[in-house]
Amino acid sequence: MAADPSPAPTSLSFPRSTFAKLTPGPFLHAHLKQNPPIRPSGRTLTQFREQQITTGSLTHSHGSAVVRLGDTTVVCSVQGEILKAADIPSPPDESADNEDLLETLGLLVPNIELSTGCSPAHLPGNPPSTLAQSLSWKVRTLLYGSEIVNPEDLQIMFTAPKIDEEDDAPVPEVKAYWTLYLDIMFISLDGNPFDAAWLAVMAALRTTRLPRASWDADREAVVCSPALEHYAHLTLHTTPVTATFAVFSTANPLKQRSEAESWVLTDPDTSEEEVCREALTVTVDGKRVLGIDKAGGRVIGMEAVEECVKLTFARWKEVSTILP
Amino acid sequence: MASTIVLPGEPLGPSATNIPGPGSHIHAGHLFSSLAGPLAKSSTSKSTPNPTLTVARPSGILIPETGTTVLGRITRTNPRLANLSILALGPSGEHTCRDSFPAIIRQQDIRATEIDKVKVAESFRVGDVVRATVISLGDERSYFCSTAKNELGVVMAVSEGGNQMVPVSWREFLDERTGARELRKVAKPV
Amino acid sequence: MQADRRRLNAPAGGTAPPVFASANTSPPRRRRKADEHRKIFLQTGIVPSAAGSAYYELPPDPATPPLTRKSSLKITCTVHGPRPLPRNAAFSPNLLLTTHVKYAPFATKTRRGYVRDSSERDLGLHLETALRGVVIGERWPKSAADVVITVLEGEDDGPAGAHSGDMGSGWGMLSVLAGCITVASAAIVDAGIDCVDLVSGGVAALVHDQSSEITTVLDPAPAEHVTRAACLVAYLQSRDEITEMWMKGDAGGDLGGLIESAVQSATLARTVLVEAVKDSTEARVAAMSPPELPSTDAASKGRPKDVVTTG
């Protein structure tokens, strides 16, 4: 048969979803090559998915939020429990640095649960995967590092009454601490778990109301007031907002480096995450950058990081207004 | 034309006057639906006086069955067989599978003619997208597939230089950028 | 609780839930009739990446006075399958059905752990029994299906203040199992797995009323009364068959009557199930009809667009 130089596109009329499944890389590439570049979901390169935040639906939690970021759905619950100062095995020094006190005592305990059947790749029956463990650790690092909660807000103080007139004024003592358990469970996962999880954590913390706790010297225990009007919101000192980006590149060891093209995709979904080898997460609060976390690849340089930081500041403005 | 939607457990008709088609089952002399979907009644003729009642599954076929045409990607090759990962069902892959199904194409099932002289390395390479039919459910690990027909074989391939290739004959793909040709068992464009 | 090395653990020293000076809520009283089921919210397709999924909720009654503690059952279910058998499994000519039930740590009054405990495994087994009688396994050789249930909020075990089983492993578990059966049925049908019928769960209980008389109630909320006996059934209406039954407590002489009441409760739940499945199937069929037309119109912003992809 004579060689046919022209391509034969009409011989391959697969539906979109089949192309996406058979050749995910070229499928995404064909979309990004367009002018202007567009993603298979119809989003632009810098567009986040639509988010929906609902709070307060869990009865047994002091604060809760359900966040939907596109098809990713996550539930965060904040439950407060009491840690008695007397029970702490190695109590920190009186003069210990306040900044590390929260972390040393371990008063914020986040855990991300992915093995809920939220996607076919995350079925129960296995211990937490590397992804789940690293996400939990990232949330923990951000919670402590951003100093969103101060130890004073979680302390339960007690001032012993003066017994004799000649005693000095009694010094208030820390008798117990509130410990906050943040349980983050994924109902559905379609990419970018960290942004969704952090958004849920923020929404849940901002709507958390703890009962008023006081030290009962007779019982040697903490007793809380049941009155609803005595419940108080947590004092939050910062509003960190995160944004995650993935980089799609056609760089190929078989081809020239200069021929490679790359695009930075904001808020990637699962199909995009699977063909991207490089990712970047930026965390900001107001005008400060709290952290930049980059993984893999060599496409993103200083310029691209600055672009992403700009986008994250814009995202901060958007999110801080809609957070409850 | 809107056909009625039936739900599992809904009675469809007596089994004496109806033939059960896919998506239905018989219980106590009566036909019932097994799926939630539109009900279809086949036409009757002199030779088949009873209509066949079928309930269509809105999500389409779910697992490969003997005779299904499938699309998949080659994951491994060795001199006796090629491993295929089935990704979509149907001749143009209308139904993508959520989980890929492992399958095997044995050397003797690659082509219809001169099957003992066939070389797997000259028919498939890892990463090729292949159209095949399922010939058997196989063992607990893999389905068995065959590409021994003209319209079956490699539909998409990437050259050693990393470029998409176009089919030029039943045996060759051409990399237009470099001009190189590579041997494959090519599927005839449909 | 031993420290789980793969999760972030409680601070050294251990914590305890807050103790209140007095009960902070008044116990709820059953406001509906003895044969009335709570309103059920059931929706399928909540997890698009799974083959089938559904969400079941008993929303709190808006009419309850504000200081009354009200919990509302919330269960999600995803079905993954039919999928290839896992590596070590032997060839099976029927569908290999596995169920997983897990309570979220915040689902009950007392915090639960992340590791599955025996009560959750027990629930999973009861659920599997209920579903096995419904799924037509012979149509799916060499395949497996996983039914994964997450209980986001469980049912209280008894009136507030009662210390028996704050873990939800007493009477509350029956209502949770009934919800699990109904939601799993919706998710399995959503996945397109052949079933002989829709199966719904129903609970009936013998309770001591304020007058200390024993009455039968359908869909008991254990927080609302003192329960003496309760029965759960998984019921197939078109065949009038029961695939699973679980009875707790002392039913006295009228065992058959209690089972009948449970069947009645399951029938009430089934009406919601039928409606939910019908709605989602109609939506799916309607979405299927117009074929996907390739369009390179750049004006259609925000919708997936086709691009020419050469092979």
Side-chain angles (χ1 to χ4, degrees), chain A residues 225-256:
Chain A
S225 160
L228 276 182
E229 53 269 19
H230 290 163
Y231 276 63
H233 280 277
L234 271 181
T235 321
L236 300 177
H237 301 272
T238 52
T239 313
V241 169
T242 66
T244 300
F245 308 87
V247 178
F248 177 73
S249 167
T250 57
N252 195 325
L254 299 167
K255 301 209 182 129
Q256 291 279 20

PDB file of all heavy atoms in Angstrom, chain A residues 225-256:
ATOM      1  N   SER A 225     -20.050  24.741  81.940  1.00  0.00           N
ATOM      2  CA  SER A 225     -21.395  25.268  82.114  1.00  0.00           C
ATOM      3  C   SER A 225     -22.268  24.835  80.957  1.00  0.00           C
ATOM      4  O   SER A 225     -21.901  25.012  79.799  1.00  0.00           O
ATOM      5  CB  SER A 225     -21.336  26.794  82.176  1.00  0.00           C
ATOM      6  OG  SER A 225     -22.587  27.330  81.885  1.00  0.00           O
ATOM      7  N   PRO A 226     -23.447  24.272  81.254  1.00  0.00           N
ATOM      8  CA  PRO A 226     -24.302  23.801  80.164  1.00  0.00           C
ATOM      9  C   PRO A 226     -25.043  24.913  79.433  1.00  0.00           C
ATOM     10  O   PRO A 226     -25.560  24.685  78.356  1.00  0.00           O
ATOM     11  CB  PRO A 226     -25.294  22.884  80.871  1.00  0.00           C
ATOM     12  CG  PRO A 226     -25.337  23.385  82.268  1.00  0.00           C
ATOM     13  CD  PRO A 226     -23.995  23.964  82.576  1.00  0.00           C
ATOM     14  N   ALA A 227     -25.041  26.110  80.010  1.00  0.00           N
ATOM     15  CA  ALA A 227     -25.844  27.176  79.405  1.00  0.00           C
ATOM     16  C   ALA A 227     -25.320  27.525  78.028  1.00  0.00           C
ATOM     17  O   ALA A 227     -24.139  27.782  77.841  1.00  0.00           O
ATOM     18  CB  ALA A 227     -25.824  28.411  80.311  1.00  0.00           C
ATOM     19  N   LEU A 228     -26.225  27.560  77.047  1.00  0.00           N
ATOM     20  CA  LEU A 228     -25.814  27.842  75.664  1.00  0.00           C
ATOM     21  C   LEU A 228     -25.200  29.222  75.517  1.00  0.00           C
ATOM     22  O   LEU A 228     -24.297  29.427  74.716  1.00  0.00           O
ATOM     23  CB  LEU A 228     -27.016  27.735  74.721  1.00  0.00           C
ATOM     24  CG  LEU A 228     -27.355  26.336  74.222  1.00  0.00           C
ATOM     25  CD1 LEU A 228     -28.523  26.381  73.263  1.00  0.00           C
ATOM     26  CD2 LEU A 228     -26.150  25.699  73.545  1.00  0.00           C
ATOM     27  N   GLU A 229     -25.671  30.166  76.346  1.00  0.00           N
ATOM     28  CA  GLU A 229     -25.147  31.526  76.172  1.00  0.00           C
ATOM     29  C   GLU A 229     -23.711  31.642  76.691  1.00  0.00           C
ATOM     30  O   GLU A 229     -23.043  32.636  76.453  1.00  0.00           O
ATOM     31  CB  GLU A 229     -26.048  32.555  76.861  1.00  0.00           C
ATOM     32  CG  GLU A 229     -26.334  32.279  78.311  1.00  0.00           C
ATOM     33  CD  GLU A 229     -27.597  31.450  78.510  1.00  0.00           C
ATOM     34  OE1 GLU A 229     -28.042  30.790  77.542  1.00  0.00           O
ATOM     35  OE2 GLU A 229     -28.115  31.439  79.622  1.00  0.00           O
ATOM     36  N   HIS A 230     -23.247  30.611  77.397  1.00  0.00           N
ATOM     37  CA  HIS A 230     -21.872  30.646  77.886  1.00  0.00           C
ATOM     38  C   HIS A 230     -20.885  30.046  76.896  1.00  0.00           C
ATOM     39  O   HIS A 230     -19.687  30.046  77.131  1.00  0.00           O
ATOM     40  CB  HIS A 230     -21.757  29.902  79.223  1.00  0.00           C
ATOM     41  CG  HIS A 230     -22.439  30.641  80.345  1.00  0.00           C
ATOM     42  ND1 HIS A 230     -22.767  30.043  81.534  1.00  0.00           N
ATOM     43  CD2 HIS A 230     -22.851  31.919  80.457  1.00  0.00           C
ATOM     44  CE1 HIS A 230     -23.353  30.925  82.335  1.00  0.00           C
ATOM     45  NE2 HIS A 230     -23.420  32.068  81.688  1.00  0.00           N
ATOM     46  N   TYR A 231     -21.398  29.500  75.807  1.00  0.00           N
ATOM     47  CA  TYR A 231     -20.488  28.981  74.794  1.00  0.00           C
ATOM     48  C   TYR A 231     -19.827  30.154  74.095  1.00  0.00           C
ATOM     49  O   TYR A 231     -20.462  31.172  73.824  1.00  0.00           O
ATOM     50  CB  TYR A 231     -21.255  28.159  73.749  1.00  0.00           C
ATOM     51  CG  TYR A 231     -21.509  26.725  74.143  1.00  0.00           C
ATOM     52  CD1 TYR A 231     -22.290  26.405  75.253  1.00  0.00           C
ATOM     53  CD2 TYR A 231     -20.987  25.672  73.395  1.00  0.00           C
ATOM     54  CE1 TYR A 231     -22.528  25.090  75.604  1.00  0.00           C
ATOM     55  CE2 TYR A 231     -21.232  24.350  73.735  1.00  0.00           C
ATOM     56  CZ  TYR A 231     -22.009  24.069  74.844  1.00  0.00           C
ATOM     57  OH  TYR A 231     -22.251  22.770  75.191  1.00  0.00           O
ATOM     58  N   ALA A 232     -18.562  30.022  73.793  1.00  0.00           N
ATOM     59  CA  ALA A 232     -17.851  31.135  73.164  1.00  0.00           C
ATOM     60  C   ALA A 232     -17.097  30.666  71.935  1.00  0.00           C
ATOM     61  O   ALA A 232     -16.598  29.542  71.882  1.00  0.00           O
ATOM     62  CB  ALA A 232     -16.879  31.741  74.164  1.00  0.00           C
ATOM     63  N   HIS A 233     -17.014  31.568  70.971  1.00  0.00           N
ATOM     64  CA  HIS A 233     -16.232  31.266  69.776  1.00  0.00           C
ATOM     65  C   HIS A 233     -14.751  31.222  70.105  1.00  0.00           C
ATOM     66  O   HIS A 233     -14.295  31.907  71.017  1.00  0.00           O
ATOM     67  CB  HIS A 233     -16.446  32.352  68.715  1.00  0.00           C
ATOM     68  CG  HIS A 233     -17.727  32.174  67.951  1.00  0.00           C
ATOM     69  ND1 HIS A 233     -17.834  31.318  66.878  1.00  0.00           N
ATOM     70  CD2 HIS A 233     -18.935  32.730  68.096  1.00  0.00           C
ATOM     71  CE1 HIS A 233     -19.068  31.351  66.401  1.00  0.00           C
ATOM     72  NE2 HIS A 233     -19.757  32.202  67.134  1.00  0.00           N
ATOM     73  N   LEU A 234     -14.016  30.474  69.353  1.00  0.00           N
ATOM     74  CA  LEU A 234     -12.562  30.452  69.492  1.00  0.00           C
ATOM     75  C   LEU A 234     -12.004  31.762  68.974  1.00  0.00           C
ATOM     76  O   LEU A 234     -12.520  32.312  68.010  1.00  0.00           O
ATOM     77  CB  LEU A 234     -11.975  29.341  68.618  1.00  0.00           C
ATOM     78  CG  LEU A 234     -11.825  27.952  69.196  1.00  0.00           C
ATOM     79  CD1 LEU A 234     -11.195  27.074  68.133  1.00  0.00           C
ATOM     80  CD2 LEU A 234     -10.980  27.947  70.437  1.00  0.00           C
ATOM     81  N   THR A 235     -10.939  32.238  69.618  1.00  0.00           N
ATOM     82  CA  THR A 235     -10.285  33.432  69.077  1.00  0.00           C
ATOM     83  C   THR A 235      -9.255  32.978  68.066  1.00  0.00           C
ATOM     84  O   THR A 235      -8.322  32.263  68.408  1.00  0.00           O
ATOM     85  CB  THR A 235      -9.555  34.196  70.199  1.00  0.00           C
ATOM     86  OG1 THR A 235     -10.361  34.148  71.368  1.00  0.00           O
ATOM     87  CG2 THR A 235      -9.313  35.633  69.789  1.00  0.00           C
ATOM     88  N   LEU A 236      -9.418  33.393  66.813  1.00  0.00           N
ATOM     89  CA  LEU A 236      -8.460  33.006  65.770  1.00  0.00           C
ATOM     90  C   LEU A 236      -7.658  34.236  65.395  1.00  0.00           C
ATOM     91  O   LEU A 236      -8.207  35.308  65.182  1.00  0.00           O
ATOM     92  CB  LEU A 236      -9.200  32.448  64.556  1.00  0.00           C
ATOM     93  CG  LEU A 236     -10.049  31.209  64.837  1.00  0.00           C
ATOM     94  CD1 LEU A 236     -10.788  30.785  63.590  1.00  0.00           C
ATOM     95  CD2 LEU A 236      -9.178  30.071  65.341  1.00  0.00           C
ATOM     96  N   HIS A 237      -6.354  34.056  65.330  1.00  0.00           N
ATOM     97  CA  HIS A 237      -5.489  35.220  65.143  1.00  0.00           C
ATOM     98  C   HIS A 237      -5.046  35.436  63.710  1.00  0.00           C
ATOM     99  O   HIS A 237      -4.568  36.499  63.367  1.00  0.00           O
ATOM    100  CB  HIS A 237      -4.253  35.082  66.043  1.00  0.00           C
ATOM    101  CG  HIS A 237      -4.627  34.974  67.480  1.00  0.00           C
ATOM    102  ND1 HIS A 237      -4.799  36.073  68.286  1.00  0.00           N
ATOM    103  CD2 HIS A 237      -4.923  33.893  68.254  1.00  0.00           C
ATOM    104  CE1 HIS A 237      -5.160  35.678  69.503  1.00  0.00           C
ATOM    105  NE2 HIS A 237      -5.245  34.367  69.512  1.00  0.00           N
ATOM    106  N   THR A 238      -5.166  34.413  62.883  1.00  0.00           N
ATOM    107  CA  THR A 238      -4.768  34.584  61.481  1.00  0.00           C
ATOM    108  C   THR A 238      -5.800  33.902  60.597  1.00  0.00           C
ATOM    109  O   THR A 238      -6.623  33.121  61.064  1.00  0.00           O
ATOM    110  CB  THR A 238      -3.394  33.936  61.194  1.00  0.00           C
ATOM    111  OG1 THR A 238      -3.418  32.588  61.643  1.00  0.00           O
ATOM    112  CG2 THR A 238      -2.267  34.693  61.870  1.00  0.00           C
ATOM    113  N   THR A 239      -5.749  34.222  59.304  1.00  0.00           N
ATOM    114  CA  THR A 239      -6.663  33.582  58.345  1.00  0.00           C
ATOM    115  C   THR A 239      -5.836  33.047  57.183  1.00  0.00           C
ATOM    116  O   THR A 239      -5.776  33.639  56.117  1.00  0.00           O
ATOM    117  CB  THR A 239      -7.681  34.614  57.820  1.00  0.00           C
ATOM    118  OG1 THR A 239      -8.208  35.333  58.915  1.00  0.00           O
ATOM    119  CG2 THR A 239      -8.828  33.900  57.105  1.00  0.00           C
ATOM    120  N   PRO A 240      -5.140  31.922  57.389  1.00  0.00           N
ATOM    121  CA  PRO A 240      -4.354  31.393  56.276  1.00  0.00           C
ATOM    122  C   PRO A 240      -5.255  30.833  55.191  1.00  0.00           C
ATOM    123  O   PRO A 240      -6.277  30.215  55.471  1.00  0.00           O
ATOM    124  CB  PRO A 240      -3.522  30.274  56.918  1.00  0.00           C
ATOM    125  CG  PRO A 240      -3.779  30.349  58.380  1.00  0.00           C
ATOM    126  CD  PRO A 240      -5.034  31.108  58.588  1.00  0.00           C
ATOM    127  N   VAL A 241      -4.874  31.108  53.953  1.00  0.00           N
ATOM    128  CA  VAL A 241      -5.609  30.568  52.809  1.00  0.00           C
ATOM    129  C   VAL A 241      -4.583  29.899  51.893  1.00  0.00           C
ATOM    130  O   VAL A 241      -3.500  30.432  51.690  1.00  0.00           O
ATOM    131  CB  VAL A 241      -6.359  31.694  52.054  1.00  0.00           C
ATOM    132  CG1 VAL A 241      -6.887  31.189  50.725  1.00  0.00           C
ATOM    133  CG2 VAL A 241      -7.498  32.210  52.899  1.00  0.00           C
ATOM    134  N   THR A 242      -4.930  28.727  51.377  1.00  0.00           N
ATOM    135  CA  THR A 242      -3.973  28.001  50.535  1.00  0.00           C
ATOM    136  C   THR A 242      -4.454  27.945  49.098  1.00  0.00           C
ATOM    137  O   THR A 242      -5.654  28.060  48.815  1.00  0.00           O
ATOM    138  CB  THR A 242      -3.805  26.548  51.020  1.00  0.00           C
ATOM    139  OG1 THR A 242      -5.034  25.863  50.819  1.00  0.00           O
ATOM    140  CG2 THR A 242      -3.430  26.507  52.475  1.00  0.00           C
ATOM    141  N   ALA A 243      -3.499  27.763  48.176  1.00  0.00           N
ATOM    142  CA  ALA A 243      -3.846  27.542  46.769  1.00  0.00           C
ATOM    143  C   ALA A 243      -2.840  26.550  46.221  1.00  0.00           C
ATOM    144  O   ALA A 243      -1.639  26.682  46.460  1.00  0.00           O
ATOM    145  CB  ALA A 243      -3.787  28.845  45.982  1.00  0.00           C
ATOM    146  N   THR A 244      -3.337  25.549  45.509  1.00  0.00           N
ATOM    147  CA  THR A 244      -2.468  24.513  44.953  1.00  0.00           C
ATOM    148  C   THR A 244      -2.477  24.595  43.438  1.00  0.00           C
ATOM    149  O   THR A 244      -3.517  24.826  42.822  1.00  0.00           O
ATOM    150  CB  THR A 244      -2.949  23.119  45.407  1.00  0.00           C
ATOM    151  OG1 THR A 244      -2.910  23.070  46.821  1.00  0.00           O
ATOM    152  CG2 THR A 244      -2.058  22.033  44.857  1.00  0.00           C
ATOM    153  N   PHE A 245      -1.295  24.418  42.858  1.00  0.00           N
ATOM    154  CA  PHE A 245      -1.145  24.466  41.398  1.00  0.00           C
ATOM    155  C   PHE A 245      -0.428  23.217  40.934  1.00  0.00           C
ATOM    156  O   PHE A 245       0.435  22.700  41.633  1.00  0.00           O
ATOM    157  CB  PHE A 245      -0.301  25.690  41.001  1.00  0.00           C
ATOM    158  CG  PHE A 245      -0.790  26.990  41.585  1.00  0.00           C
ATOM    159  CD1 PHE A 245      -0.359  27.394  42.843  1.00  0.00           C
ATOM    160  CD2 PHE A 245      -1.674  27.793  40.892  1.00  0.00           C
ATOM    161  CE1 PHE A 245      -0.811  28.571  43.404  1.00  0.00           C
ATOM    162  CE2 PHE A 245      -2.124  28.985  41.445  1.00  0.00           C
ATOM    163  CZ  PHE A 245      -1.703  29.374  42.694  1.00  0.00           C
ATOM    164  N   ALA A 246      -0.776  22.750  39.730  1.00  0.00           N
ATOM    165  CA  ALA A 246      -0.063  21.606  39.140  1.00  0.00           C
ATOM    166  C   ALA A 246       0.498  22.046  37.798  1.00  0.00           C
ATOM    167  O   ALA A 246      -0.061  22.919  37.143  1.00  0.00           O
ATOM    168  CB  ALA A 246      -1.012  20.423  38.957  1.00  0.00           C
ATOM    169  N   VAL A 247       1.610  21.464  37.410  1.00  0.00           N
ATOM    170  CA  VAL A 247       2.251  21.866  36.159  1.00  0.00           C
ATOM    171  C   VAL A 247       2.180  20.734  35.169  1.00  0.00           C
ATOM    172  O   VAL A 247       2.639  19.622  35.468  1.00  0.00           O
ATOM    173  CB  VAL A 247       3.736  22.229  36.408  1.00  0.00           C
ATOM    174  CG1 VAL A 247       4.398  22.602  35.094  1.00  0.00           C
ATOM    175  CG2 VAL A 247       3.843  23.354  37.400  1.00  0.00           C
ATOM    176  N   PHE A 248       1.617  21.004  33.999  1.00  0.00           N
ATOM    177  CA  PHE A 248       1.611  20.012  32.931  1.00  0.00           C
ATOM    178  C   PHE A 248       2.693  20.386  31.932  1.00  0.00           C
ATOM    179  O   PHE A 248       2.762  21.520  31.464  1.00  0.00           O
ATOM    180  CB  PHE A 248       0.254  19.963  32.233  1.00  0.00           C
ATOM    181  CG  PHE A 248       0.243  18.994  31.079  1.00  0.00           C
ATOM    182  CD1 PHE A 248       0.242  17.625  31.315  1.00  0.00           C
ATOM    183  CD2 PHE A 248       0.284  19.442  29.771  1.00  0.00           C
ATOM    184  CE1 PHE A 248       0.268  16.725  30.266  1.00  0.00           C
ATOM    185  CE2 PHE A 248       0.305  18.544  28.714  1.00  0.00           C
ATOM    186  CZ  PHE A 248       0.293  17.180  28.964  1.00  0.00           C
ATOM    187  N   SER A 249       3.545  19.433  31.603  1.00  0.00           N
ATOM    188  CA  SER A 249       4.656  19.724  30.702  1.00  0.00           C
ATOM    189  C   SER A 249       4.772  18.639  29.656  1.00  0.00           C
ATOM    190  O   SER A 249       4.534  17.462  29.938  1.00  0.00           O
ATOM    191  CB  SER A 249       5.938  19.796  31.536  1.00  0.00           C
ATOM    192  OG  SER A 249       7.052  19.781  30.707  1.00  0.00           O
ATOM    193  N   THR A 250       5.152  19.042  28.449  1.00  0.00           N
ATOM    194  CA  THR A 250       5.371  18.038  27.410  1.00  0.00           C
ATOM    195  C   THR A 250       6.827  17.637  27.349  1.00  0.00           C
ATOM    196  O   THR A 250       7.246  16.990  26.407  1.00  0.00           O
ATOM    197  CB  THR A 250       4.950  18.580  26.036  1.00  0.00           C
ATOM    198  OG1 THR A 250       5.691  19.778  25.791  1.00  0.00           O
ATOM    199  CG2 THR A 250       3.479  18.859  25.982  1.00  0.00           C
ATOM    200  N   ALA A 251       7.612  18.052  28.339  1.00  0.00           N
ATOM    201  CA  ALA A 251       9.035  17.703  28.341  1.00  0.00           C
ATOM    202  C   ALA A 251       9.179  16.194  28.329  1.00  0.00           C
ATOM    203  O   ALA A 251       8.479  15.467  29.008  1.00  0.00           O
ATOM    204  CB  ALA A 251       9.703  18.272  29.588  1.00  0.00           C
ATOM    205  N   ASN A 252      10.096  15.742  27.562  1.00  0.00           N
ATOM    206  CA  ASN A 252      10.238  14.321  27.281  1.00  0.00           C
ATOM    207  C   ASN A 252      11.729  14.049  27.146  1.00  0.00           C
ATOM    208  O   ASN A 252      12.418  14.766  26.435  1.00  0.00           O
ATOM    209  CB  ASN A 252       9.533  14.049  25.951  1.00  0.00           C
ATOM    210  CG  ASN A 252       9.293  12.595  25.716  1.00  0.00           C
ATOM    211  OD1 ASN A 252      10.090  11.748  26.097  1.00  0.00           O
ATOM    212  ND2 ASN A 252       8.183  12.311  25.079  1.00  0.00           N
ATOM    213  N   PRO A 253      12.258  13.027  27.812  1.00  0.00           N
ATOM    214  CA  PRO A 253      13.689  12.782  27.670  1.00  0.00           C
ATOM    215  C   PRO A 253      14.116  12.508  26.222  1.00  0.00           C
ATOM    216  O   PRO A 253      15.261  12.666  25.865  1.00  0.00           O
ATOM    217  CB  PRO A 253      13.950  11.551  28.550  1.00  0.00           C
ATOM    218  CG  PRO A 253      12.652  11.168  29.120  1.00  0.00           C
ATOM    219  CD  PRO A 253      11.620  12.150  28.762  1.00  0.00           C
ATOM    220  N   LEU A 254      13.139  12.129  25.359  1.00  0.00           N
ATOM    221  CA  LEU A 254      13.493  11.822  23.982  1.00  0.00           C
ATOM    222  C   LEU A 254      13.586  13.068  23.114  1.00  0.00           C
ATOM    223  O   LEU A 254      14.005  13.019  21.970  1.00  0.00           O
ATOM    224  CB  LEU A 254      12.430  10.884  23.382  1.00  0.00           C
ATOM    225  CG  LEU A 254      12.263   9.539  24.072  1.00  0.00           C
ATOM    226  CD1 LEU A 254      10.991   8.856  23.583  1.00  0.00           C
ATOM    227  CD2 LEU A 254      13.457   8.650  23.798  1.00  0.00           C
ATOM    228  N   LYS A 255      13.098  14.185  23.654  1.00  0.00           N
ATOM    229  CA  LYS A 255      13.059  15.373  22.798  1.00  0.00           C
ATOM    230  C   LYS A 255      13.921  16.481  23.388  1.00  0.00           C
ATOM    231  O   LYS A 255      14.358  16.420  24.541  1.00  0.00           O
ATOM    232  CB  LYS A 255      11.626  15.885  22.707  1.00  0.00           C
ATOM    233  CG  LYS A 255      10.669  14.889  22.152  1.00  0.00           C
ATOM    234  CD  LYS A 255       9.539  15.580  21.442  1.00  0.00           C
ATOM    235  CE  LYS A 255       8.556  14.557  20.935  1.00  0.00           C
ATOM    236  NZ  LYS A 255       7.208  14.857  21.314  1.00  0.00           N
ATOM    237  N   GLN A 256      14.107  17.517  22.622  1.00  0.00           N
ATOM    238  CA  GLN A 256      14.860  18.682  23.046  1.00  0.00           C
ATOM    239  C   GLN A 256      14.137  19.388  24.179  1.00  0.00           C
ATOM    240  O   GLN A 256      12.934  19.536  24.143  1.00  0.00           O
ATOM    241  CB  GLN A 256      14.971  19.666  21.881  1.00  0.00           C
ATOM    242  CG  GLN A 256      15.836  19.195  20.739  1.00  0.00           C
ATOM    243  CD  GLN A 256      17.286  19.440  21.051  1.00  0.00           C
ATOM    244  OE1 GLN A 256      17.674  19.604  22.224  1.00  0.00           O
ATOM    245  NE2 GLN A 256      18.107  19.477  20.027  1.00  0.00           N
TER     246      GLN A 256
END
